[in-house]
Amino acid sequence: MDDRRAKLERLRQRGIDPFPHEFGGVTPIADVHAAHHDLQPGEETDAVYRIAGRLAARRGHGGAAFLDLVDRSGKLQVHAKRDVLGEEAFDTLTSLDLGDLIGIDGTAFKSRRGELSLRASRWTLLAKSLRPPPEKFHGLEDVETRYRHRELDLIANEDVRELFILRTRVVRAIRRWLDERGFLEVETPILQPLYGGALARPFVTHYNALDRDFYLRIADELYLKRLIVGGLERVYEIGKDFRNEGLSHKHNPEFTMLEWYEAYADYEDIARRLEELIARVAADVGYEGPIDFSPPWRRLTLREAIREKTDIDIEKDELPGEGTWAKRVDALLSKRVEPELVSPTFVLDYPKELSPFAKDHRSRPGLVERFECFAGGMEFANAFTELNDPDEQRARFEQQRADEAAGDEETQPYDEDYVRALEHGMPPTGGIGVGIDRLVMILSGRTSIREVVLFPAMRS
């Protein structure tokens, strides 16, 4: 670092600005490659480009040097010659440090070895790097460093850059699919006077202007369904939710969810839409992994799924574990069944106790019309035929209040504003929450949520 700072001062003394304001007209490196993919070894062009990126490698001697420049889209070799750039400019360029950001103007050609290159006619220093790059671009493997300093991970590992570009493409494909079907993208409050929409512990903060505690939302659900009451009929939101729970390979307290709600639909309609959406997204992003997302996906009841994987009949046999029957059922599902569900699978019809916002099953007492969807050994979506009877919803809230009094910390607080909204009338509605982080894990073959979140929560 001392050496780099000394170079910084020498550059300034020579009148070179090491941190200029702008460098317009840059062409992505991938576009240069695309324009000349059929160029033959040794072939010249008169195509002039301006590229910019980080100096990743340098080789050569005497009056010529080759430099590798890397931007978000790829890498390109730059050929620098003393007799073209001039003595001073050439010497300064070849004395730069790996990690420095530079801009190059030059002409495209294919080297005799068949590598597309840019013959430099001019160069510009764009930012002097005062710290050496991680492992000189040969890869950054230390997990702690990769997650705590993601910028270094992105500099060093091309596959990580590609992963987060994939994530962006997944979200873009989801938006496009929903927009094409008449859904409106909306925004609901992240800071809420009362949290709701899931069974989870919230983060609490104090709202100084109102002198009261607010909560970071644990779900978007209740506000979105109030929009259905208001007549918007098809709405969705992609945004951050927050649950004050533990860290694991599939849990990050701050996570990204897609929720959509559709009037005049039930959970079967939502299941069909989910199949179509994920198949479309997988195709749009070029997924080539081992999972077949082609509809229709397998469907089985919660009872069937547990019996298939454990030989336990939840309606007849004694269940292992502690807590209520419903919570022991849920534990069996998460521990014994979920890891085995690799192909996309809908598990339907859950205990009412676990689903305070789902409508009673139309033919099976004690159950509700709810499914969770699994793929790659984890749950990534949860959907209901939404409860729209305000009196029944009020009774569910009362039950949640009793559960809280009995010591259950993960309950749904009583939300009178939501019940009042239902009293104006909500049409039959289907709704779903899809975990974006987990979906990206599945589509990228990653096994830890920290891999697909740019800046995951980390212990001190």
Side-chain angles (χ1 to χ4, degrees), residues 91-112:
D91 289 343
T92 305
L93 175 61
T94 54
S95 69
L96 294 177
D97 293 308
L98 298 186
D100 286 352
L101 289 155
I102 60 175
I104 299 289
D105 293 290
T107 306
F109 73 100
K110 185 73 71 79
S111 73
R112 290 179 198 159

Side-chain angles (χ1 to χ4, degrees), residues 211-227:
D211 193 23
R212 61 172 291 189
D213 286 346
F214 266 56
Y215 305 91
L216 291 175
R217 68 182 178 198
I218 62 174
D220 310 1
E221 178 174 346
L222 302 190
Y223 282 92
L224 290 174
K225 287 193 287 191
R226 287 165 69 173
L227 300 182

Side-chain angles (χ1 to χ4, degrees), residues 161-391:
R161 295 196 299 273
E162 291 175 349
L163 169 61
F164 286 103
I165 292 171
L166 169 69
R167 181 183 173 116
T168 295
R169 294 172 60 209
V170 167
V171 173
R172 184 186 302 140
I174 288 170
R175 279 196 168 96
R176 183 165 55 243
W177 190 91
L178 288 164
D179 292 344
E180 288 171 355
R181 283 152 185 81
F183 286 83
L184 301 175
E185 183 172 10
V186 297
E187 294 181 342
T188 61
I190 294 174
L191 279 175
Q192 300 180 347
L194 191 67
Y195 63 94
L199 302 179
R201 296 174 64 184
F203 287 93
V204 187
T205 188
H206 191 74
Y207 209 134
N208 289 335
L210 300 177
D211 193 23
R212 61 172 291 189
D213 286 346
F214 266 56
Y215 305 91
L216 291 175
R217 68 182 178 198
I218 62 174
D220 310 1
E221 178 174 346
L222 302 190
Y223 282 92
L224 290 174
K225 287 193 287 191
R226 287 165 69 173
L227 300 182
I228 297 292
V229 171
L232 294 187
E233 297 181 345
R234 291 185 182 185
V235 293
Y236 76 93
E237 184 168 13
I238 299 174
K240 293 285 191 180
D241 289 339
F242 308 84
R243 297 182 186 176
N244 203 348
E245 57 191 17
L247 302 170
S248 76
H249 72 282
K250 58 181 181 180
H251 291 97
N252 193 64
E254 176 183 352
F255 57 99
T256 304
M257 287 289 289
L258 157 70
E259 291 196 36
W260 87 70
Y261 293 84
E262 179 177 1
Y264 317 117
D266 66 4
Y267 74 147
E268 288 285 0
D269 298 315
I270 299 298
R272 286 189 289 272
R273 283 208 184 275
L274 182 65
E275 288 174 323
E276 295 170 7
L277 168 63
I278 303 304
R280 167 78 169 272
V281 170
D284 284 358
V285 302
Y287 173 77
E288 296 180 347
I291 299 175
D292 182 5
F293 290 105
S294 304
W297 297 349
R298 190 182 185 208
R299 287 163 166 75
L300 67 169
T301 66
L302 177 61
R303 181 186 184 189
E304 292 167 343
I306 292 176
R307 185 165 55 193
E308 181 181 278
K309 300 298 181 183
T310 68
D311 291 327
I312 296 173
D313 188 330
I314 60 175
E315 294 187 2
K316 296 180 180 179
D317 299 333
E318 185 72 23
L319 303 185
E322 300 178 352
T324 64
W325 173 81
K327 293 205 169 183
R328 282 179 285 161
V329 168
D330 191 52
L332 276 175
L333 175 66
S334 62
K335 295 175 182 177
R336 303 279 297 276
V337 179
E338 181 174 350
E340 303 299 318
L341 298 177
V342 177
S343 296
T345 304
F346 291 109
V347 176
L348 304 104
D349 305 337
Y350 280 61
K352 182 190 294 190
E353 179 184 332
L354 297 175
S355 314
F357 297 108
K359 201 171 183 67
D360 284 343
H361 198 283
R362 62 196 81 184
S363 62
R364 303 195 64 194
L367 301 181
V368 293
E369 294 192 349
R370 170 186 175 188
F371 72 73
E372 288 184 302
C373 193
F374 301 82
M378 62 183 162
E379 177 258 326
F380 73 95
N382 182 28
F384 315 142
T385 301
E386 302 295 337
L387 176 58
N388 61 343
D389 180 336
D391 294 333

Side-chain angles (χ1 to χ4, degrees), residues 129-145:
S129 174
L130 299 179
R131 290 180 178 270
E135 299 188 15
K136 296 184 179 179
F137 289 81
H138 292 305
L140 179 65
E141 297 181 357
D142 180 73
V143 169
E144 287 289 310
T145 302

Side-chain angles (χ1 to χ4, degrees), residues 71-106:
D71 72 1
R72 187 182 81 187
S73 68
K75 180 178 72 174
L76 188 62
Q77 177 174 270
V78 173
H79 185 208
K81 298 182 71 176
R82 188 186 301 273
D83 59 3
V84 174
L85 294 174
E87 194 87 19
E88 183 177 352
F90 178 83
D91 289 343
T92 305
L93 175 61
T94 54
S95 69
L96 294 177
D97 293 308
L98 298 186
D100 286 352
L101 289 155
I102 60 175
I104 299 289
D105 293 290

